[in-house]
Amino acid sequence: MGELQLGDSREFSGEYKMGFFSSPEHISVNISVEKVWGRGYRELGNGKHEITDFRYAFSQITKVTGSQFDKKPCSMIVFNERDNIYLPGINVLTPTLESAVNQFRDLLLEKETEEIKRLILGGAFTKDGRTQLQDEIQLFKETVERLKELKRQGFINPLEYSELRTKLMDFYA
């Protein structure tokens, strides 16, 4: 398996049969930088579940974790902190699924890092462009927040952060 690219996706699938007399259900999860989709069991409450097709934006993933379904271990993806999708019978262990999600998350952060560097170093924030950007102060605030987050995540080292921050702040000097 080569290095992950923005247009790539990963698919994990398997089958699960709940109960002796039921027919097997195809279980799958597909992951890309834009979305997560597939077929799994959604928690309804009161210990009940339904088989369902699901589709979420990648950004809606709260966590990937191990869980229990029908008293057996399985993987579970939590979306929006409350929507649990159980994936019994998937052909990989939870750490493998979690690793795929983390690889896509890292890919997105690397892309965001490049966009911020391009904005700051490419001259979007310059004294000459100040009048054009006065109406876009929100862009500046978002860029500052994204820059802080990228430093916290380790995608920008402290020296690089300091240089980018200084260049960004020079715009308002």
Side-chain angles (χ1 to χ4, degrees), residues 2 14-15 36 51 56 60 68 94 101 106 111 121 123 125 127-128 132 136-137 139-140 146 151 159 162 171:
E15 284 191 352
V36 179
I51 188 75
Y56 291 92
Q60 293 175 293
Q68 293 253 327
T94 300
V101 168
D106 289 349
K111 178 184 172 201
L121 300 175
F125 296 99
K127 290 180 182 175
D128 296 338
Q132 295 172 358
E136 297 179 22
I137 202 70
L139 174 64
F140 175 79
R146 288 176 19 201
K151 178 186 171 219
L159 179 62
S162 179
F171 169 71

Side-chain angles (χ1 to χ4, degrees), residues 28-31 36 41 54 56 60-67 75-79 82-87 97 101:
S28 67
V29 62
N30 296 276
I31 304 166
V36 179
Y41 286 92
F54 62 90
Y56 291 92
Q60 293 175 293
I61 295 176
T62 303
K63 70 179 174 179
V64 176
T65 186
S67 187
S75 298
M76 176 178 75
I77 303 178
V78 180
F79 295 95
R82 66 186 185 291
D83 198 4
N84 300 338
I85 301 292
Y86 294 86
L87 303 165
L97 190 59
V101 168

Side-chain angles (χ1 to χ4, degrees), residues 157-171:
N157 65 45
L159 179 62
E160 204 173 15
Y161 170 80
S162 179
E163 290 171 359
L164 290 169
R165 187 188 70 199
T166 300
K167 189 147 182 102
L168 185 61
M169 295 305 166
D170 281 349
F171 169 71

Side-chain angles (χ1 to χ4, degrees), residues 29-64:
V29 62
N30 296 276
I31 304 166
S32 77
V33 293
E34 296 174 356
K35 61 188 178 241
V36 179
W37 70 101
R39 186 167 176 82
Y41 286 92
R42 175 174 277 126
E43 186 173 33
L44 299 174
N46 299 330
K48 297 192 185 255
H49 300 85
E50 72 176 351
I51 188 75
T52 185
D53 293 328
F54 62 90
R55 182 182 198 90
Y56 291 92
F58 181 83
S59 61
Q60 293 175 293
I61 295 176
T62 303
K63 70 179 174 179
V64 176

